[in-house]
Amino acid sequence: MRFFETTPLGSILNRFSADFNTIDQHIPTTLECLSRSTLLCISALAVISYVTPIFIISLVPLVITCYFIQKYFRVASRDLQQVEDSTQLPLLAHFSETVEGLTTIRAFRYEARFQQKLLELTDSNNIASLFLTAANRWLEVRMEYIGACVVLVAAVASITYRLQNNLATGLVGLGLIYALMVSNYLNWMVRNLSDMEIQLGAVKRINSLLKTEPENYKGLLSPSQIPQDWPNSGEIQIQNLSVRYDSSLKPVLKHVNAHITPGQKIGICGRTGSGKSSFSLAFFRMVDMFQGRIIIDGIDIAKLPLQTLRSRLSIILQDPILFSGTIRFNLDPENKCSDCVLWEALEIAQLKHVVKALPGGLDALVTEGGENFSVGQRQLFCLARAFVRKSSVLIMDEATASIDMATENILQKVVMTAFHERTVVIIAHRVHTILNADMVIVMKRGAIMEYDKPEALLEQEGSMFASYVQADK
């Protein structure tokens, strides 16, 4: 879960589409071209060296020059081909801004065609393509210079060697023919080497997925050590809990301590970034609890298998989630409950009349994402689903943030009546939604600042909770 939270969806799709396509289709072709051009270049130099052994002396400076040229070209080519927008490369950004500035000059305003061409150039793909073409031409010119030097050295060496050693005319011609082709071979060898370096980046990115650290699914407790009805009462003890999203990041919760008795309704409030949502994620072990622990009904949740932990707790999120299928499937995915229990849950959520009016009743279809229901109705379906699960612990993470006041009142009424025997942790979007809670936790910068009954906090002078309530009116 942490991987999908921290990795953009587009990046994942690119790994399984563009990168795999590069590995399957492009790398073999590029490798073949690179091998062929390299072998041709080596064979040409070998023939020249065989015809005129003195040529080997001149290879040293030529090879050094070629090395620095190809190194510079590979760096430039890699940057230009990998750029996705002009802001990623200062040179492209500067060029784009310069061209855009030219379009504002009075002298060019009358020339609409020229202005349009300049605007087309500001597109990042056009700019990258333009610079890549220029880089290829840059390489071609310099490889031709090296090729000319090879021809010159080979010709002088052949003439000198023929005069001294009576070299056959045919061998001289053979050496010069190969010397004329060296520049072309060098050009393609460097280009293919640059392309291969870029394409191997796809292998590196996919290989990084293999090194993704998996979550600890198994846990330390076996199924026989976990009671079938856990959690049965809903007592929660939070002891010196510190939480962070990654080992390289700072903690978002710092030394949090709290004790929630069975059946209590706990409201949690605070400014944005105070750690409210991180508090709820800690119950499902979706964040790194590097210090402290959460004990629910006598069992440390860090020792539980993830499947067991997440299947025994219930949560209602800010954005209600429904799945494609039937209403029955959305309320009871494991098909464990009878129709009477499902209708009871719908009646508690005040959706019974809505479902009865649909063709098929409980077997009525739910479109993708529940688009055939309003946001408020989707949230109430999530509430009914939580009731069906019969979990002793319910977490509501800003569940009223995206619904209207009428639906919010229904939600609060159901929580205080149908869930009166269950422990409910309410992450408040609006402070007035937790005024009827048994206890209130006020958080700031990952720490608990106030923890008391709402009435007691409202009576305290300088209370943060009282200031939040006043600002919410």
Side-chain angles (χ1 to χ4, degrees), residues 211-279:
K211 299 177 181 178
T212 303
E213 184 181 355
E215 292 181 285
N216 182 18
Y217 285 95
K218 295 182 179 179
L220 301 176
L221 298 179
S222 62
S224 59
Q225 296 176 291
I226 306 170
Q228 290 293 327
D229 60 346
W230 181 92
N232 52 3
S233 61
E235 181 183 13
I236 302 174
Q237 299 177 55
I238 303 173
Q239 301 174 352
N240 198 34
L241 180 66
S242 295
V243 163
R244 60 191 174 192
Y245 284 90
D246 189 78
S247 58
S248 61
L249 300 176
K250 295 181 180 179
V252 290
L253 291 182
K254 308 167 189 173
H255 309 293
V256 173
N257 291 278
H259 182 214
I260 303 173
T261 58
Q264 269 193 332
K265 308 296 179 287
I266 303 296
I268 302 176
C269 63
R271 301 290 184 190
T272 301
S274 61
K276 305 188 299 298
S277 294
S278 303
F279 194 92

Side-chain angles (χ1 to χ4, degrees), residues 336-463:
K336 291 183 177 180
C337 301
S338 63
D339 287 4
C340 294
V341 175
L342 300 182
W343 283 116
E344 181 188 2
L346 291 172
E347 186 174 9
I348 289 173
Q350 300 190 21
L351 289 171
K352 187 175 182 179
H353 64 285
V354 175
V355 177
K356 274 195 170 183
L358 296 174
L362 290 173
D363 294 318
L365 292 178
V366 178
T367 59
E368 184 178 358
E371 295 295 332
N372 54 335
F373 295 100
S374 68
V375 176
Q377 288 174 331
R378 278 180 258 165
Q379 197 66 284
L380 291 176
F381 272 117
C382 292
L383 183 67
R385 180 196 299 153
F387 181 82
V388 169
R389 296 187 69 181
K390 302 295 183 184
S391 174
S392 297
V393 178
L394 170 65
I395 298 167
M396 300 176 64
D397 189 0
E398 298 186 356
T400 62
S402 56
I403 60 178
D404 57 89
M405 297 298 292
T407 309
E408 181 182 336
N409 293 332
I410 295 174
L411 204 65
Q412 290 186 26
K413 181 180 177 181
V414 171
V415 169
M416 295 303 173
T417 55
F419 292 84
H420 68 280
E421 295 181 351
R422 308 188 193 183
T423 302
V424 182
V425 179
I426 305 170
I427 312 296
H429 174 68
R430 292 183 282 266
V431 183
H432 72 270
T433 59
I434 58 173
L435 289 176
N436 296 326
D438 298 322
M439 300 288 286
V440 169
I441 294 176
V442 181
M443 302 194 68
K444 182 179 180 181
R445 296 178 182 175
I448 294 179
M449 307 303 295
E450 297 176 356
Y451 184 26
D452 207 338
K453 295 181 178 180
E455 300 85 4
L457 292 176
L458 289 173
E459 292 175 357
Q460 289 181 13
E461 186 177 353
S463 167

